[in-house]
Amino acid sequence: MANEQVLTAEQVLEKARTYLTDKDAEIVKRAYEFAYEAHREQYRKSGEPYIIHPIQVAGILVDLKMDPATVSAGFLHDVVEDTDVTLEDMEKAFNQEIAMLVDGVTKLGKIKYKSHEEQQAENHRKMFVAMAKDIRVILIKLADRLHNMRTLKHLPLEKQQRIATETLEIFAPLAHRLGINTIKWELEDTSLRYLNPQQYYRIVNLMKRKRAEREEYLETVMKDIRDKLDDVSIHSDMSGRPKHIYSIYRKMAVQNKQFNEIYDLLAVRVVVNSIKDCYAVLGIIHTCWKPMPGRFKDYIAMPKANLYQSLHTTVIGPKGDPLEVQIRTKEMHRIAEYGIAAHWAYKEGAEAAPENAPLEKKLAWFRQIVEWQKDASNAEEFMESLKIDLFSDMVFVFTPKGDVIELPLGSVPIDFAYRIHSEIGSKTIGAKINGKMVPLDYKLKTGDIVEILTSKHSYGPSQDWVKLAQTSHAKNKIRQFFKKQRREENIEKGKELIEKELRNLDYDLKEVLSADNLKRVADKFNFPNDEEMYAAVGYNGITAAQIVTRLTDKFRKKREEEQLLEETMTEVRKPMKIRRRDSGIKVSGVDNLLIRVSKCCNPVPGDDIVGYITKGRGVSIHRSDCVNIHTEEAKERLLDVEWENDPQKELEYNVDIEISGYDRRGLLNEVLQAVNETKTYISAVSGRSDRNKMATIHMSISIQNVHHLQKVVERIKRVHDIYAVRRLMH
């Protein structure tokens, strides 16, 4: 699509008339005339009339054969932002659809921001939200950015580099994810030209030197392939595939290679009529030349998320050099060039936005990502999260049923679990990759079959998971889990954590936690008040250490000579006696029965319980979900029982728990210390570690009720490298 030629309005309209109806072409012409009047007195930095820019944007959209509303919005995209025309005026002059598209690409004005970065982030956030409603918004924005990059030479150096960086970070990856390669390549190459001109022109010169030799070689190769295809009556269009400058630069930089070590500088593209022909051509090419191991990719059977389909193979060519061959159908080639725009391309008699169920399904990933980002506290966080989920390199993994899940490179099983369903994520206790147990910080690789192990008895995610997870979706869901717990508890918990941190650092609480100091720090972190700040610490939205660092910054200068000591709690207490003379349980309508608490499920106050009449051993108390009482025989022996609510009885009950985490030195000691801090008696403890460094600790503890147990579990989950805690039933 690279094109330095400046189109006239008439040329753009003439191109539009080649595929639009007369009625639709008239709408487009009216949009141009409206834009011309609105921009009449305006000029660009180059000194050219401003209207030239909207004409070129519309021209790019016409090359993509976009519908009349999109092309019209291309002419009008800067009118609301840069003139006195309002969206209401736009809607009256045209219609709601065109006004909506223009609004989607219009930057936020008349709002004061702290910085240029914040303003840009807000503009991008607005654009992406609009794009989630109608994908054509981004097609207009990409066309706008493409023409701006073509005319970047008229701006100062600092602005050139800022815009080129933004293009490389946001717009080129977005064009790639939407499959619009004609725009993607030009955006990347032009950005490199301004960000690293020395390398850009060096690669250009290196490519020019051997171009004639390369072209001659490719002609020989293509003639050989064409002759073989003619023998089996397969019609094809063949061409040398141009290698783009930025992709060569990336390979040289990332793989630390020299120009002459880049394999796919020599490449042939074969376009045929059917999928059957694609595989036939592949077989013929592999018969002619030896394929290189590990260099075959079938994107027809497994298309990329950006709709791209093709067969890729690299063979040892006639001269012994690696030769890449791409094989695809005409429709695949059209989608490879124009991506999502190919589905929006105008067809006479069709609606501007066709009801295309497969397309909607393929775009669902993008709408999901935008939905997940809505939890971000500000626009800059939104954009950082989006860059991770949308623009990073991807891995493709499988569910046990064979469904493909796409995740950012570096993702772990927790990200996979939350991508499947939030409930699965929250109940995760382990993961298997290709049938083998792995720790939850295992980095997923393309082709892995991932099985998530869950338990309905799990107490939910660990605080440590926020650091393990890579996707913003998983991180947000984990934070939400803790945030949804009762606000008052979070405030109290956050306050305790901050006060504990301050005590550990030997600060005067009254002095540090003054109203003025709390307000200052809350404002610094954009919390409306100190209670919201405490709550955020409570649900792990922010760490106590971060808050304490800010709270104490003006006190630290007075204490530079002191060394900060980390206080280690080594409280030793005598084991509590468990009173068994009184069970703390009432049997409806019966007194003086022998009652014992069952060891198979170890119920505690707060659990739903049921009594079971044993033969000669009184009444055995079980949890209502215990598997041992869900038999036909047991149903005839069940009794209604309930816990006594008598605060005078200091009874304790045994509970077995299982703790999973990453095995490291000192882990068991930290877990024991965490339980000790809750003043809980430990009657037994054992542990083991497997070859994957996955530690499993079994512990028997004495607790008073479910609330006490929850307190112990939450404290254990705050230990670094603990992944899951669950209550055991025997």
Side-chain angles (χ1 to χ4, degrees):
M1 184 172 277
N3 184 4
E4 295 297 327
Q5 180 192 355
V6 177
L7 298 171
T8 65
E10 190 49 49
Q11 286 172 321
V12 173
L13 295 172
E14 195 57 43
K15 279 188 179 183
R17 291 187 193 102
T18 61
Y19 70 90
L20 295 180
T21 63
D22 291 344
K23 182 181 174 184
D24 289 334
E26 191 54 40
I27 294 172
V28 171
K29 183 182 177 186
R30 200 152 53 82
Y32 159 67
E33 290 168 348
F34 190 97
Y36 179 82
E37 284 301 319
H39 292 301
R40 182 188 285 273
E41 302 298 326
Q42 293 178 330
Y43 294 88
R44 302 196 84 203
K45 296 280 185 188
S46 61
E48 299 170 324
Y50 194 90
I51 191 63
I52 287 177
H53 171 63
I55 291 171
Q56 307 317 304
V57 171
I60 293 166
L61 294 169
V62 166
D63 285 340
L64 295 173
K65 288 190 165 48
M66 293 306 297
D67 61 282
T70 309
V71 178
S72 298
F75 276 123
L76 298 164
H77 75 278
D78 275 339
V79 167
V80 173
E81 186 180 324
D82 293 335
T83 75
D84 294 331
V85 176
T86 64
L87 278 172
E88 290 74 20
D89 297 334
M90 186 81 67
E91 194 170 333
K92 284 176 190 172
F94 295 95
N95 55 43
Q96 187 178 6
E97 182 185 13
I98 291 174
M100 180 273 295
L101 292 173
V102 171
D103 183 42
V105 292
T106 300
K107 292 177 186 170
L108 297 166
K110 303 179 178 68
I111 302 174
K112 289 187 177 177
Y113 295 96
K114 292 177 185 174
S115 66
H116 175 79
E117 288 73 19
E118 184 184 354
Q119 183 172 5
Q120 280 297 83
E122 285 290 357
N123 286 330
H124 290 144
R125 184 181 206 165
K126 176 177 184 278
M127 179 185 70
F128 281 109
V129 171
M131 176 184 166
K133 295 176 186 171
D134 195 318
I135 205 72
R136 291 173 295 174
V137 167
I138 201 61
L139 297 177
I140 299 164
K141 192 65 188 174
L142 286 171
D144 171 51
R145 177 53 60 116
L146 181 58
H147 182 249
N148 282 336
M149 290 302 292
R150 287 175 180 174
T151 57
L152 206 57
K153 62 186 175 187
H154 301 293
L155 297 180
L157 178 64
E158 180 273 328
K159 213 166 185 180
Q160 286 176 351
Q161 294 190 334
R162 179 168 54 77
I163 292 171
T165 300
E166 181 184 64
T167 300
L168 213 49
E169 286 183 352
I170 295 173
F171 292 99
L174 189 53
H176 170 68
R177 288 304 298 268
L178 296 175
I180 313 171
N181 284 317
T182 53
I183 290 179
K184 176 208 170 189
W185 294 123
E186 190 176 346
L187 289 177
E188 287 182 337
D189 286 357
T190 315
S191 296
L192 180 63
R193 181 174 150 196
Y194 288 101
L195 290 173
N196 196 336
Q198 187 178 358
Q199 282 288 63
Y200 174 86
Y201 288 110
R202 175 172 172 259
I203 293 169
V204 169
N205 290 329
L206 286 168
M207 290 176 75
K208 278 180 183 175
R209 276 184 213 167
K210 294 194 175 182
R211 178 174 293 170
E213 183 185 328
R214 256 196 333 267
E215 287 175 356
E216 184 184 342
Y217 176 71
L218 288 175
E219 279 301 323
T220 305
V221 168
M222 287 190 287
K223 184 179 182 303
D224 289 348
I225 298 173
R226 200 173 287 113
D227 290 343
K228 293 283 191 303
L229 297 187
D230 287 344
D231 290 343
V232 291
S233 302
I234 293 178
H235 176 74
S236 67
D237 291 322
M238 227 170 290
S239 62
R241 183 181 68 85
K243 189 67 184 171
H244 295 276
I245 298 163
Y246 182 75
S247 63
I248 295 173
Y249 167 76
R250 283 272 300 162
K251 287 196 174 183
M252 290 171 69
V254 175
Q255 299 175 17
N256 197 23
K257 289 185 175 181
Q258 295 300 314
F259 181 81
N260 56 9
E261 294 178 293
I262 306 294
Y263 277 169
D264 49 359
L265 281 173
L266 295 171
V268 173
R269 181 176 292 142
V270 184
V271 180
V272 293
N273 292 326
S274 67
I275 292 176
K276 182 182 75 172
D277 287 347
C278 289
Y279 289 99
V281 172
L282 178 70
I284 289 166
I285 286 169
H286 281 184
T287 305
C288 292
W289 299 294
K290 189 175 181 180
M292 290 179 67
R295 298 281 296 175
F296 169 66
K297 294 184 178 69
D298 188 344
Y299 294 120
I300 293 179
M302 194 181 293
K304 291 186 180 182
N306 64 5
L307 317 181
Y308 179 88
Q309 286 184 287
S310 194
L311 295 176
H312 289 196
T313 187
T314 303
V315 296
I316 304 298
K319 291 184 179 180
D321 294 324
L323 170 72
E324 186 184 65
V325 184
Q326 295 180 353
I327 311 161
R328 60 180 71 148
T329 66
K330 290 175 183 176
E331 178 62 14
M332 289 173 191
H333 182 60
R334 192 170 70 91
I335 291 172
E337 294 295 299
Y338 301 114
I340 210 75
H343 287 273
W344 278 100
Y346 178 86
K347 295 175 181 66
E348 190 172 340
E351 291 292 327
E355 287 298 323
N356 190 330
L359 176 61
E360 285 299 306
K361 189 177 178 183
K362 286 170 180 173
L363 279 177
W365 61 267
F366 177 76
R367 294 195 172 93
Q368 276 184 324
I369 286 174
V370 173
E371 280 299 311
W372 299 334
Q373 308 315 323
K374 288 181 181 176
D375 297 321
S377 59
N378 57 55
E380 285 154 307
E381 184 184 326
F382 174 95
M383 286 310 300
E384 284 307 309
S385 300
L386 201 67
K387 284 177 189 176
I388 293 169
D389 284 347
L390 191 57
F391 305 143
S392 60
D393 291 334
M394 309 303 287
V395 292
F396 299 87
V397 294
F398 296 89
T399 67
K401 291 182 179 178
D403 296 328
V404 181
I405 303 295
E406 184 184 9
L407 292 164
L409 188 68
S411 293
V412 297
I414 293 166
D415 298 297
F416 176 90
Y418 277 100
R419 179 64 56 90
I420 298 299
H421 196 280
S422 300
E423 196 63 26
I424 291 174
S426 295
K427 296 292 181 184
T428 296
I429 58 168
K432 285 184 178 180
I433 304 295
N434 306 322
K436 294 181 181 178
M437 285 293 295
V438 297
L440 290 180
D441 61 354
Y442 169 88
K443 302 289 184 192
L444 298 176
K445 301 181 186 72
T446 293
D448 281 344
I449 300 171
V450 187
E451 182 184 350
I452 297 298
L453 308 178
T454 61
S455 169
K456 63 181 180 181
H457 302 300
S458 166
Y459 284 95
S462 162
Q463 298 271 18
D464 213 38
W465 288 10
V466 176
K467 298 172 191 171
L468 287 182
Q470 296 298 306
T471 60
S472 56
H473 172 57
K475 288 177 186 285
N476 287 337
K477 288 296 179 185
I478 295 163
R479 289 190 185 109
Q480 282 175 19
F481 177 88
F482 294 107
K483 194 173 183 177
K484 282 177 184 173
Q485 292 177 345
R486 285 184 300 182
R487 184 172 176 273
E488 290 303 317
E489 282 185 11
N490 281 329
I491 292 171
E492 194 58 38
K493 186 170 161 189
K495 200 169 183 178
E496 283 177 14
L497 287 169
I498 288 172
E499 288 180 357
K500 181 184 174 184
E501 189 87 12
L502 288 168
R503 284 195 199 96
N504 284 345
L505 298 173
D506 201 24
Y507 280 103
D508 184 324
L509 297 189
K510 193 173 180 182
E511 185 182 22
V512 175
L513 299 179
S514 67
D516 288 347
N517 201 28
L518 284 170
K519 184 178 184 310
R520 176 181 69 85
V521 175
D523 289 346
K524 191 79 178 173
F525 285 101
N526 295 318
F527 291 111
N529 52 54
D530 58 334
E531 283 195 344
E532 292 300 325
M533 183 172 73
Y534 283 135
V537 174
Y539 65 73
N540 203 31
I542 191 169
T543 66
Q546 285 175 284
I547 299 297
V548 167
T549 299
R550 287 290 183 188
L551 283 170
T552 58
D553 52 10
K554 61 181 183 179
F555 299 99
R556 257 180 262 132
K557 289 179 183 176
K558 302 175 186 176
R559 306 178 49 184
E560 283 178 356
E561 73 283 357
E562 294 180 14
Q563 190 178 12
L564 296 176
L565 299 176
E566 192 177 292
E567 186 177 337
T568 308
M569 292 186 68
T570 53
E571 178 188 353
V572 178
R573 62 188 182 89
K574 294 178 182 177
M576 292 175 141
K577 291 181 180 177
I578 303 174
R579 292 169 52 186
R580 290 295 181 194
R581 289 173 302 179
D582 191 338
S583 64
I585 297 167
K586 291 192 297 186
V587 179
S588 298
V590 184
D591 289 328
N592 298 321
L593 269 179
L594 176 63
I595 293 173
R596 68 185 184 84
V597 175
S598 169
K599 290 184 179 179
C600 63
C601 56
N602 283 326
V604 299
D607 285 332
D608 291 333
I609 54 173
V610 66
Y612 176 77
I613 304 170
T614 66
K615 294 177 181 177
R617 291 185 298 160
V619 177
S620 174
I621 306 301
H622 293 259
R623 278 164 53 184
S624 56
D625 61 351
C626 180
V627 293
N628 293 326
I629 58 164
H630 287 288
T631 63
E632 288 302 318
E633 182 190 352
K635 286 180 182 175
E636 299 173 4
R637 298 176 172 226
L638 298 183
L639 278 177
D640 288 335
V641 296
E642 60 182 342
W643 297 103
E644 285 183 334
N645 189 15
D646 186 351
Q648 300 301 315
K649 293 180 179 177
E650 295 180 0
L651 301 180
E652 291 201 345
Y653 302 82
N654 278 333
V655 170
D656 294 331
I657 58 175
E658 181 182 83
I659 304 154
S660 305
Y662 174 71
D663 186 23
R664 60 172 170 80
R665 185 176 297 186
L667 181 68
L668 179 60
N669 283 340
E670 287 182 36
V671 170
L672 293 172
Q673 185 177 316
V675 176
N676 193 38
E677 285 177 14
T678 64
K679 295 184 170 55
T680 301
Y681 175 61
I682 302 170
S683 56
V685 65
S686 64
R688 68 178 190 277
S689 174
D690 62 22
R691 62 183 180 183
N692 292 319
K693 302 284 285 181
M694 189 77 169
T696 304
I697 300 168
H698 288 125
M699 189 179 287
S700 294
I701 56 176
S702 300
I703 56 103
Q704 294 161 6
N705 50 43
V706 168
H707 180 71
H708 182 185
L709 176 60
Q710 182 71 29
K711 184 179 176 184
V712 174
V713 168
E714 286 185 358
R715 180 62 191 88
I716 294 172
K717 282 164 68 177
R718 291 209 301 270
V719 173
H720 183 61
D721 288 328
I722 291 299
Y723 299 149
V725 182
R726 69 186 184 104
R727 184 174 169 185
L728 294 177
M729 291 176 66
H730 298 284

